[in-house]
Coordinates of all heavy atoms in Angstrom, one line a residue:
M98 N 18.0 20.7 0.5 CA 19.1 19.7 0.6 C 19.3 19.4 2.1 O 19.2 20.2 3.0 CB 20.4 20.3 0.0 CG 21.6 19.3 0.0 SD 22.9 19.8 -1.0 CE 23.5 21.2 -0.1
L99 N 19.6 18.1 2.3 CA 19.9 17.6 3.7 C 21.3 17.2 3.8 O 21.8 16.4 2.9 CB 19.0 16.4 4.0 CG 19.1 15.7 5.3 CD1 18.6 16.6 6.4 CD2 18.3 14.4 5.3
K100 N 22.1 17.7 4.7 CA 23.4 17.2 5.0 C 23.5 16.4 6.3 O 23.0 16.9 7.3 CB 24.4 18.4 5.1 CG 24.8 19.0 3.7 CD 25.9 20.0 3.9 CE 26.3 20.6 2.5 NZ 27.4 21.6 2.6
I101 N 24.0 15.2 6.2 CA 24.1 14.3 7.4 C 25.6 14.0 7.6 O 26.2 13.4 6.7 CB 23.3 13.1 7.2 CG1 21.8 13.4 6.9 CG2 23.4 12.2 8.5 CD1 21.0 12.1 6.7
G102 N 26.1 14.2 8.8 CA 27.5 13.8 9.1 C 27.6 12.3 9.1 O 26.7 11.6 9.6
A103 N 28.8 11.8 8.7 CA 29.0 10.4 8.7 C 28.9 9.7 10.0 O 28.5 8.5 10.1 CB 30.4 10.1 8.1
T104 N 29.1 10.4 11.1 CA 29.1 9.7 12.4 C 27.7 9.9 13.1 O 27.5 9.7 14.3 CB 30.2 10.2 13.3 OG1 30.0 11.7 13.4 CG2 31.5 9.9 12.8
T105 N 26.7 10.3 12.3 CA 25.3 10.5 12.8 C 24.8 9.1 13.0 O 24.9 8.2 12.1 CB 24.4 11.2 11.8 OG1 25.1 12.5 11.5 CG2 23.1 11.5 12.4
R106 N 24.2 8.8 14.2 CA 23.7 7.5 14.5 C 22.4 7.3 13.7 O 21.6 8.2 13.5 CB 23.4 7.4 16.0 CG 24.6 7.6 16.9 CD 24.3 7.5 18.3 NE 23.1 8.2 18.6 CZ 22.3 8.0 19.7 NH1 22.6 6.9 20.5 NH2 21.2 8.7 20.0
L107 N 22.1 6.0 13.3 CA 20.9 5.7 12.6 C 19.7 6.0 13.4 O 18.7 6.5 12.9 CB 20.9 4.2 12.2 CG 22.0 3.8 11.3 CD1 22.0 2.2 11.1 CD2 21.9 4.5 9.9
A108 N 19.8 5.8 14.8 CA 18.6 6.2 15.6 C 18.3 7.6 15.5 O 17.1 8.0 15.5 CB 19.0 5.8 17.1
D109 N 19.3 8.5 15.4 CA 19.0 9.9 15.4 C 18.4 10.3 14.0 O 17.5 11.2 14.0 CB 20.3 10.7 15.6 CG 20.9 10.5 17.0 OD1 20.1 10.2 17.9 OD2 22.1 10.5 17.2
I110 N 18.8 9.6 13.0 CA 18.2 9.9 11.7 C 16.7 9.5 11.7 O 15.9 10.2 11.2 CB 19.0 9.2 10.6 CG1 20.4 9.8 10.4 CG2 18.3 9.3 9.2 CD1 21.4 9.0 9.6
A111 N 16.5 8.3 12.3 CA 15.1 7.8 12.3 C 14.2 8.7 13.1 O 13.0 8.8 12.9 CB 15.1 6.4 12.9
A112 N 14.8 9.3 14.2 CA 14.0 10.1 15.1 C 13.9 11.6 14.7 O 13.1 12.4 15.2 CB 14.6 10.1 16.5
S113 N 14.7 12.0 13.7 CA 14.8 13.4 13.4 C 13.5 13.9 12.8 O 12.9 13.3 11.8 CB 15.9 13.6 12.3 OG 15.7 14.8 11.6
E114 N 13.0 15.1 13.3 CA 11.7 15.6 12.8 C 11.8 16.1 11.4 O 11.0 15.7 10.5 CB 11.4 16.9 13.7 CG 9.9 17.1 13.7 CD 9.6 18.4 14.6 OE1 10.2 18.4 15.8 OE2 8.9 19.3 14.2
V115 N 12.9 16.8 11.0 CA 13.1 17.2 9.6 C 13.2 16.1 8.7 O 12.6 16.1 7.6 CB 14.3 18.3 9.5 CG1 15.6 17.6 9.7 CG2 14.2 19.0 8.2
V116 N 14.0 15.0 9.0 CA 14.1 13.9 8.1 C 12.7 13.2 8.0 O 12.3 12.9 6.9 CB 15.2 12.9 8.7 CG1 15.3 11.7 7.7 CG2 16.5 13.5 8.8
N117 N 12.0 13.0 9.1 CA 10.7 12.4 9.0 C 9.7 13.2 8.1 O 8.9 12.6 7.4 CB 10.1 12.2 10.4 CG 10.6 10.9 11.0 OD1 10.1 9.8 10.6 ND2 11.6 10.9 11.8
K118 N 9.8 14.5 8.2 CA 8.9 15.4 7.5 C 9.2 15.5 6.0 O 8.4 15.4 5.2 CB 8.9 16.8 8.2 CG 7.7 17.6 7.9 CD 7.6 18.8 8.9 CE 6.5 19.7 8.4 NZ 6.9 21.1 8.8
K119 N 10.5 15.7 5.7 CA 10.9 16.1 4.4 C 11.6 14.9 3.6 O 11.7 15.0 2.4 CB 11.8 17.3 4.4 CG 11.1 18.5 4.9 CD 11.9 19.8 4.6 CE 11.0 21.0 5.0 NZ 11.6 22.3 4.5
F120 N 12.2 14.0 4.4 CA 12.9 12.9 3.7 C 12.4 11.6 4.4 O 13.2 10.8 4.9 CB 14.4 13.1 3.9 CG 15.0 14.4 3.4 CD1 15.0 15.5 4.2 CD2 15.4 14.5 2.1 CE1 15.4 16.8 3.8 CE2 15.8 15.8 1.6 CZ 15.8 16.9 2.5
T121 N 11.1 11.4 4.3 CA 10.4 10.3 5.0 C 11.0 9.0 4.8 O 11.2 8.2 5.7 CB 8.9 10.4 4.7 OG1 8.5 11.7 4.7 CG2 8.1 9.6 5.7
A122 N 11.3 8.7 3.5 CA 11.8 7.4 3.1 C 13.2 7.1 3.9 O 13.4 6.0 4.3 CB 12.0 7.3 1.6
L123 N 14.0 8.1 4.0 CA 15.3 7.9 4.7 C 15.0 7.6 6.2 O 15.6 6.7 6.8 CB 16.1 9.2 4.6 CG 17.5 9.1 5.3 CD1 18.3 8.0 4.8 CD2 18.2 10.5 5.2
A124 N 14.1 8.3 6.8 CA 13.8 8.0 8.2 C 13.2 6.6 8.4 O 13.6 5.9 9.3 CB 12.8 9.0 8.7
Q125 N 12.3 6.2 7.4 CA 11.7 4.9 7.5 C 12.8 3.8 7.3 O 12.8 2.8 8.0 CB 10.6 4.7 6.5 CG 9.4 5.6 6.8 CD 8.4 5.6 5.7 OE1 8.7 5.1 4.6 NE2 7.2 6.1 5.9
A126 N 13.7 4.1 6.4 CA 14.8 3.1 6.1 C 15.7 2.9 7.3 O 16.0 1.8 7.8 CB 15.6 3.5 4.9
A127 N 16.1 4.1 7.9 CA 17.0 4.0 9.1 C 16.3 3.3 10.2 O 17.0 2.5 10.9 CB 17.3 5.5 9.5
L128 N 15.0 3.4 10.4 CA 14.3 2.8 11.4 C 14.2 1.3 11.2 O 13.9 0.5 12.2 CB 12.9 3.4 11.5 CG 12.0 3.0 12.8 CD1 12.7 3.5 14.0 CD2 10.6 3.6 12.7
R129 N 14.4 0.8 10.0 CA 14.3 -0.6 9.8 C 15.6 -1.4 9.8 O 15.6 -2.6 9.6 CB 13.6 -0.9 8.4 CG 12.1 -0.7 8.5 CD 11.4 -0.7 7.1 NE 10.0 -0.6 7.3 CZ 9.4 0.6 7.6 NH1 10.1 1.7 7.9 NH2 8.1 0.6 7.7
V130 N 16.7 -0.6 10.0 CA 18.0 -1.3 10.1 C 18.2 -2.0 11.4 O 17.9 -1.4 12.5 CB 19.1 -0.3 9.9 CG1 20.5 -0.9 10.2 CG2 19.1 0.3 8.4
A131 N 18.5 -3.2 11.4 CA 19.0 -3.9 12.6 C 18.0 -3.9 13.8 O 16.8 -4.0 13.6 CB 20.4 -3.4 13.0
T132 N 18.5 -3.6 15.0 CA 17.7 -3.5 16.2 C 17.9 -2.2 16.9 O 18.9 -1.5 16.5 CB 18.3 -4.6 17.2 OG1 19.6 -4.3 17.5 CG2 18.2 -6.0 16.6
P133 N 17.0 -1.8 17.8 CA 17.2 -0.5 18.5 C 18.6 -0.4 19.1 O 19.2 0.7 19.0 CB 16.1 -0.6 19.6 CG 15.1 -1.5 19.0 CD 15.9 -2.6 18.3
H134 N 19.2 -1.4 19.7 CA 20.5 -1.3 20.3 C 21.5 -1.0 19.2 O 22.4 -0.2 19.4 CB 20.8 -2.6 21.0 CG 19.9 -2.9 22.2 ND1 18.8 -3.6 22.0 CD2 19.9 -2.5 23.4 CE1 18.2 -3.7 23.2 NE2 18.8 -3.0 24.0
V135 N 21.5 -1.7 18.1 CA 22.4 -1.5 17.0 C 22.3 -0.1 16.5 O 23.2 0.7 16.3 CB 22.3 -2.5 15.9 CG1 23.2 -2.2 14.7 CG2 22.6 -3.9 16.4
R136 N 21.0 0.4 16.3 CA 20.7 1.7 15.7 C 21.3 2.8 16.6 O 21.6 3.9 16.2 CB 19.3 1.9 15.4 CG 18.7 1.1 14.3 CD 17.4 1.6 13.8 NE 16.3 1.4 14.8 CZ 15.6 0.3 15.0 NH1 15.8 -0.7 14.2 NH2 14.7 0.3 15.9
D137 N 21.3 2.5 17.9 CA 21.8 3.5 18.9 C 23.3 3.7 18.8 O 23.9 4.6 19.4 CB 21.5 3.1 20.3 CG 20.0 3.4 20.7 OD1 19.4 4.3 19.9 OD2 19.5 2.9 21.7
M138 N 24.0 2.7 18.1 CA 25.4 2.8 18.0 C 25.9 3.0 16.5 O 26.8 3.7 16.2 CB 26.1 1.5 18.5 CG 26.1 1.5 20.0 SD 27.0 0.1 20.6 CE 28.6 0.4 19.9
A139 N 25.2 2.4 15.6 CA 25.6 2.4 14.2 C 25.5 3.7 13.6 O 24.5 4.4 13.8 CB 24.7 1.4 13.5
T140 N 26.5 4.1 12.8 CA 26.5 5.4 12.2 C 26.1 5.2 10.7 O 26.3 4.1 10.1 CB 27.9 6.1 12.2 OG1 28.8 5.2 11.5 CG2 28.4 6.2 13.7
I141 N 25.7 6.3 10.1 CA 25.3 6.2 8.7 C 26.6 6.0 7.8 O 26.5 5.3 6.8 CB 24.5 7.4 8.2 CG1 23.9 7.1 6.8 CG2 25.3 8.7 8.3 CD1 22.6 7.8 6.5
G142 N 27.7 6.6 8.2 CA 28.9 6.4 7.5 C 29.3 5.0 7.5 O 29.7 4.4 6.5
G143 N 29.2 4.3 8.7 CA 29.6 2.9 8.8 C 28.6 2.0 8.0 O 29.0 1.0 7.4
N144 N 27.3 2.4 8.0 CA 26.3 1.6 7.3 C 26.6 1.6 5.8 O 26.5 0.6 5.2 CB 24.9 2.1 7.6 CG 23.9 1.3 7.0 OD1 23.5 1.5 5.9 ND2 23.4 0.2 7.7
L145 N 27.0 2.8 5.3 CA 27.2 2.9 3.9 C 28.6 2.3 3.5 O 28.8 1.8 2.4 CB 27.2 4.4 3.5 CG 25.8 5.0 3.6 CD1 25.9 6.5 3.4 CD2 24.8 4.3 2.7
A146 N 29.6 2.4 4.4 CA 30.9 1.9 4.1 C 31.1 0.4 4.4 O 32.1 -0.1 4.0 CB 31.9 2.8 4.8
Q147 N 30.2 -0.2 5.1 CA 30.4 -1.6 5.5 C 30.4 -2.5 4.3 O 29.9 -2.2 3.2 CB 29.3 -2.1 6.4 CG 27.9 -2.1 5.8 CD 26.8 -2.7 6.6 OE1 27.0 -3.6 7.4 NE2 25.6 -2.1 6.5
L148 N 31.0 -3.6 4.4 CA 31.1 -4.7 3.4 C 29.6 -5.0 3.1 O 28.8 -5.1 3.9 CB 31.8 -5.9 3.9 CG 32.1 -7.0 2.8 CD1 33.1 -6.4 1.8 CD2 32.7 -8.2 3.5
H149 N 29.3 -5.3 1.8 CA 27.9 -5.5 1.4 C 27.2 -6.4 2.4 O 27.7 -7.5 2.7 CB 27.9 -6.2 0.0 CG 28.8 -5.6 -1.0 ND1 28.5 -4.3 -1.4 CD2 29.9 -6.0 -1.6 CE1 29.5 -4.0 -2.3 NE2 30.3 -5.0 -2.4
R150 N 26.1 -5.9 2.9 CA 25.4 -6.6 3.9 C 24.5 -7.6 3.3 O 23.3 -7.5 3.3 CB 24.6 -5.7 4.8 CG 24.2 -6.4 6.0 CD 23.7 -5.6 7.2 NE 23.3 -6.6 8.1 CZ 24.1 -7.2 9.0 NH1 25.3 -6.9 9.0 NH2 23.6 -8.1 9.8
C151 N 25.1 -8.6 2.6 CA 24.3 -9.6 1.9 C 24.8 -11.0 2.3 O 25.9 -11.3 2.3 CB 24.6 -9.4 0.4 SG 24.0 -10.9 -0.6
W152 N 23.8 -11.8 2.8 CA 24.1 -13.1 3.3 C 24.8 -13.9 2.3 O 25.7 -14.6 2.5 CB 22.7 -13.7 3.8 CG 22.9 -14.8 4.7 CD1 23.3 -14.7 6.0 CD2 22.7 -16.2 4.4 NE1 23.3 -16.0 6.6 CE2 23.0 -16.9 5.6 CE3 22.3 -16.9 3.3 CZ2 22.9 -18.3 5.7 CZ3 22.2 -18.3 3.4 CH2 22.5 -18.9 4.6
Y153 N 24.3 -13.9 1.1 CA 24.9 -14.7 0.0 C 26.3 -14.2 -0.3 O 27.3 -15.0 -0.3 CB 24.1 -14.6 -1.3 CG 22.6 -15.0 -1.1 CD1 21.6 -14.1 -1.0 CD2 22.3 -16.4 -1.0 CE1 20.3 -14.5 -0.8 CE2 21.0 -16.8 -0.8 CZ 20.0 -15.9 -0.7 OH 18.8 -16.3 -0.5
F154 N 26.5 -12.9 -0.4 CA 27.8 -12.3 -0.6 C 28.8 -12.7 0.5 O 29.9 -13.1 0.3 CB 27.7 -10.8 -0.8 CG 29.1 -10.2 -1.0 CD1 29.7 -10.2 -2.2 CD2 29.7 -9.6 0.1 CE1 31.0 -9.6 -2.4 CE2 31.0 -9.0 -0.1 CZ 31.6 -9.0 -1.3
R155 N 28.3 -12.6 1.7 CA 29.2 -12.8 2.9 C 29.5 -14.3 3.1 O 30.4 -14.6 3.9 CB 28.6 -12.1 4.1 CG 28.7 -10.6 4.0 CD 28.4 -10.0 5.4 NE 28.5 -8.5 5.3 CZ 28.4 -7.8 6.4 NH1 28.1 -8.3 7.6 NH2 28.6 -6.5 6.3
K156 N 28.7 -15.1 2.5 CA 28.9 -16.6 2.8 C 30.3 -17.0 2.2 O 30.4 -16.9 0.9 CB 27.8 -17.4 2.1 CG 27.6 -18.7 2.7 CD 26.6 -18.7 3.9 CE 26.6 -20.0 4.6 NZ 27.1 -19.9 5.9
P157 N 31.2 -17.5 3.0 CA 32.6 -17.7 2.5 C 32.6 -18.8 1.3 O 33.2 -18.5 0.3 CB 33.4 -18.2 3.7 CG 32.4 -18.5 4.7 CD 31.1 -17.9 4.4
E158 N 32.0 -20.0 1.5 CA 32.3 -21.0 0.6 C 31.5 -20.9 -0.7 O 31.5 -21.8 -1.5 CB 32.1 -22.4 1.2 CG 30.7 -22.8 1.6 CD 30.4 -22.2 3.0 OE1 31.2 -21.5 3.6 OE2 29.2 -22.4 3.4
N159 N 30.9 -19.7 -1.0 CA 30.3 -19.5 -2.3 C 29.4 -20.5 -2.8 O 29.5 -20.9 -4.0 CB 31.5 -19.2 -3.3 CG 30.9 -18.3 -4.4 OD1 29.8 -17.8 -4.3 ND2 31.7 -18.1 -5.4
R160 N 28.6 -21.1 -2.0 CA 27.6 -22.1 -2.5 C 26.5 -21.4 -3.3 O 25.9 -22.0 -4.1 CB 27.0 -22.8 -1.3 CG 27.9 -23.9 -0.7 CD 27.2 -24.7 0.4 NE 27.0 -23.9 1.5 CZ 25.8 -23.9 2.2 NH1 24.8 -24.7 1.7 NH2 25.6 -23.2 3.2
F161 N 26.5 -20.1 -3.1 CA 25.4 -19.4 -3.8 C 26.0 -18.7 -5.0 O 27.1 -18.2 -5.0 CB 24.8 -18.4 -2.9 CG 24.2 -19.0 -1.6 CD1 24.9 -19.1 -0.5 CD2 23.0 -19.7 -1.7 CE1 24.4 -19.7 0.7 CE2 22.5 -20.3 -0.6 CZ 23.2 -20.3 0.6
F162 N 25.1 -18.6 -6.1 CA 25.6 -17.9 -7.3 C 25.6 -16.4 -7.0 O 24.5 -15.8 -6.9 CB 24.6 -18.2 -8.4 CG 24.7 -17.3 -9.6 CD1 25.9 -17.1 -10.2 CD2 23.6 -16.7 -10.0 CE1 26.0 -16.3 -11.3 CE2 23.7 -15.8 -11.1 CZ 24.9 -15.6 -11.7
C163 N 26.7 -15.8 -6.8 CA 26.9 -14.4 -6.5 C 27.8 -13.7 -7.5 O 29.0 -13.9 -7.5 CB 27.3 -14.2 -5.1 SG 27.8 -12.5 -4.7
T164 N 27.3 -12.9 -8.5 CA 28.1 -12.3 -9.5 C 29.1 -11.4 -8.8 O 30.2 -11.2 -9.3 CB 27.3 -11.5 -10.5 OG1 26.5 -10.6 -9.8 CG2 26.4 -12.4 -11.3
R165 N 28.8 -10.8 -7.7 CA 29.7 -9.9 -7.0 C 31.0 -10.6 -6.6 O 32.0 -10.0 -6.4 CB 29.0 -9.3 -5.7 CG 28.6 -7.9 -5.9 CD 28.7 -7.1 -4.6 NE 28.2 -5.8 -4.9 CZ 27.0 -5.3 -4.5 NH1 26.2 -6.1 -3.9 NH2 26.7 -4.1 -4.9
K166 N 30.9 -11.9 -6.4 CA 32.1 -12.6 -6.0 C 32.7 -13.3 -7.2 O 33.4 -14.3 -7.1 CB 31.7 -13.7 -5.0 CG 31.5 -13.1 -3.6 CD 31.6 -14.1 -2.5 CE 30.4 -15.0 -2.4 NZ 30.3 -15.7 -1.1
G167 N 32.2 -12.9 -8.4 CA 32.8 -13.4 -9.6 C 32.3 -14.7 -10.1 O 32.8 -15.3 -11.0
A168 N 31.2 -15.2 -9.5 CA 30.7 -16.5 -9.9 C 30.1 -16.3 -11.3 O 29.5 -15.3 -11.6 CB 29.6 -16.9 -8.9
K169 N 30.3 -17.3 -12.1 CA 29.8 -17.3 -13.5 C 28.4 -17.9 -13.5 O 28.2 -18.9 -12.8 CB 30.7 -18.0 -14.5 CG 32.1 -17.4 -14.5 CD 32.1 -16.2 -15.6 CE 33.4 -15.5 -15.5 NZ 33.5 -14.5 -14.4
P170 N 27.5 -17.4 -14.3 CA 26.1 -18.0 -14.4 C 26.3 -19.5 -14.9 O 27.1 -19.8 -15.8 CB 25.3 -17.2 -15.4 CG 26.3 -16.2 -16.0 CD 27.6 -16.3 -15.3
V171 N 25.6 -20.4 -14.2 CA 25.6 -21.8 -14.6 C 24.6 -22.0 -15.7 O 23.5 -21.8 -15.6 CB 25.3 -22.7 -13.4 CG1 25.4 -24.2 -13.7 CG2 26.1 -22.3 -12.2
S172 N 25.1 -22.5 -16.9 CA 24.2 -22.6 -18.0 C 23.4 -24.0 -17.8 O 24.0 -25.0 -17.4 CB 24.9 -22.7 -19.4 OG 26.1 -23.5 -19.2
P173 N 22.1 -23.9 -18.1 CA 21.2 -25.1 -17.9 C 21.6 -26.3 -18.7 O 22.2 -26.2 -19.7 CB 19.8 -24.6 -18.2 CG 20.0 -23.3 -19.0 CD 21.4 -22.8 -18.8
Ligands
FAD350 C1 22.6 -7.6 14.4 C2 22.8 -6.6 13.3 C3 21.9 -6.5 12.3 C4 22.1 -5.6 11.3 N1 21.0 -5.4 10.4 C5 21.2 -4.5 9.4 C6 20.2 -4.3 8.5 O1 19.0 -4.8 8.6 N2 20.4 -3.4 7.5 C7 21.6 -2.8 7.3 O2 21.8 -2.0 6.3 N3 22.6 -3.0 8.1 C8 22.4 -3.9 9.2 N4 23.5 -4.1 10.0 C9 24.7 -3.5 9.8 C10 24.8 -2.2 10.6 O3 24.0 -1.3 10.1 C11 26.3 -1.7 10.4 O4 27.0 -2.7 11.1 C12 26.5 -0.3 11.0 O5 25.7 0.6 10.4 C13 27.9 0.0 10.9 O6 28.1 1.3 11.4 P1 29.2 1.5 12.5 O7 29.2 3.0 12.8 O8 29.2 0.6 13.6 O9 30.5 1.3 11.5 P2 31.7 0.3 11.7 O10 31.2 -1.1 11.9 O11 32.6 0.9 12.8 O12 32.4 0.4 10.3 C14 32.0 -0.3 9.2 C15 33.0 -0.1 8.1 O13 32.8 1.2 7.6 C16 34.1 2.0 7.8 N5 33.6 3.3 8.2 C17 32.9 3.6 9.3 N6 32.6 4.9 9.4 C18 33.2 5.4 8.3 C19 33.4 6.8 7.9 N7 32.8 7.8 8.5 N8 34.1 7.0 6.7 C20 34.6 6.0 6.0 N9 34.6 4.7 6.4 C21 33.9 4.4 7.6 C22 34.8 1.2 8.8 O14 36.2 1.4 8.7 C23 34.4 -0.2 8.5 O15 35.1 -0.7 7.4 C24 23.3 -4.9 11.1 C25 24.3 -5.1 12.0 C26 24.1 -6.0 13.1 C27 25.2 -6.2 14.1

């Protein structure tokens, strides 16, 4: 089992030897988040707790069909 504190930086997760060896997918995912500068500051707690990082979801005027924002499917 791997325990990671919420304020652990994404950069540290991506660089961790044990994560790379035993939880490779997590290390690879952390390494693909944002940019090196952001990964040097961003925490895993903040990444998981942030508002859905979805361009469609975050778009205010809801031009996109997003069920998370309660949009109803448009019938053809
Ligand atoms: C340019 C850019 C590109 C990005 N690209 C990606 C990407 O490709 N993939 C991706 O997944 N993310 C991406 N992100 C989002 C980024 O990963 C998050 O902004 C970052 O991880 C948030 O972590 P933070 O520590 O800065 O949290 P904060 O921004 O400080 O917090 C985010 C939210 O989480 C809450 N929070 C923070 N820590 C905790 C905690 N320990 N317990 C409970 N609540 C908490 C805060 O109150 C806030 O509501 C990108 C961000 C930027 C700026």
